[in-house]
Amino acid sequence: METFADNPSNIWAIVPVKRLSHAKQRLAPVLSRNERVKLARTMLHEVLTTLCASDLAGIMVVTSDPMVAKLATLFDARVIHDGMEAGVNAAVQQGLGALDATAGALIIPADVPFATASDLRAIIDELQHHPVVLAPALSDGGTNALAMRAPDMIVPKFGEDSYLRHQMQSRVKGLPCGVVSSDGIGRDIDRPQDLVAPMVTRKYSLTAALLVELNISIRLGVGALPLCVRHM
């Protein structure tokens, strides 16, 4: 049977996406429902754009949302219907189950809009040296990307503190774990304080432009703070 060593370019991205109308509930104190939908769709657009530029064998989007499925097809992504709607980890497992057993997997959430193609290539390169590779979130101990040489090397457990859980699983299974960290892939947008990330990264993106359009800095009162405090 072919293995990762035989075909190291056979790596598929898996992007689990919940219904946009249910996305980003923790941002409700700052953004209206329509604004949260627009933000979630914009971040997904950016993630898919970055994946398309990252030398992958393919992209798989697991979702129950027709709007997400329509957007995914514009990027030639394979869409897996998430009929269970049982959460991100169940959706990821559906995606892994749809992969060929010899394919590598790069699991990335839809809310890491500042990840670059260079970040993802660094993960893919690291996968040549380690069977499991993690990109940690800069806050909450989460995992912003998990790559594996085969779909069943460890069980994805995304969420707060998942970075340590993934590392522990790798250690228990005797699988050396590589780590790729960057300011781009390390930042997700989940909480109100994450909305100021574009001010920190200082890079143009569709998400950053949307947040400017929504006057996020004024809503959060960030613009009134001294520069050194804004970036804390």
Side-chain angles (χ1 to χ4, degrees), residues 136-212:
L138 295 181
S139 61
D140 79 15
T143 304
N144 280 3
L146 162 62
M148 303 184 286
R149 289 181 183 175
D152 58 352
M153 304 207 87
I154 65 172
V155 178
K157 298 286 186 184
F158 283 86
E160 287 189 11
D161 301 322
S162 62
Y163 177 61
L164 285 179
R165 289 199 297 273
H166 288 142
Q167 282 193 319
M168 289 179 64
Q169 275 198 72
S170 297
R171 190 176 302 119
V172 168
K173 290 196 168 190
L175 301 171
C177 183
V179 176
V180 172
S181 300
S182 80
D183 193 58
I185 201 167
R187 294 188 183 280
D188 52 16
I189 293 183
D190 204 28
R191 307 161 301 169
Q193 57 264 44
D194 299 328
L195 294 171
V196 300
M199 299 179 188
V200 179
T201 57
R202 294 178 181 278
K203 57 177 287 190
Y204 175 79
S205 71
L206 293 176
T207 302
L210 174 61
L211 296 178
V212 170

Side-chain angles (χ1 to χ4, degrees), residues 106-109 112 120 123 133-137 143-147 158 166 185:
L106 168 62
I107 304 156
I108 184 165
V112 288
L120 302 188
I123 293 173
V133 179
L134 299 172
T143 304
N144 280 3
L146 162 62
F158 283 86
H166 288 142
I185 201 167

Side-chain angles (χ1 to χ4, degrees), residues 12-75:
W12 278 72
I14 297 176
V15 187
V17 189
K18 66 168 63 172
R19 288 183 181 272
L20 296 183
S21 58
H22 298 166
K24 302 301 162 194
Q25 299 290 332
R26 286 198 278 179
L27 298 179
V30 181
L31 301 178
S32 69
R33 178 182 177 277
N34 287 342
E35 289 169 340
R36 296 197 304 274
V37 169
K38 190 172 184 179
L39 174 62
R41 190 179 189 282
T42 299
M43 291 194 294
L44 173 61
H45 189 288
E46 293 212 83
V47 168
L48 293 175
T49 299
T50 302
L51 289 171
C52 282
S54 303
D55 301 325
L56 293 158
I59 303 170
M60 184 183 296
V61 173
V62 185
T63 187
S64 61
D65 191 323
M67 187 189 306
V68 171
K70 184 176 181 180
L71 176 61
T73 57
L74 297 178
F75 289 86

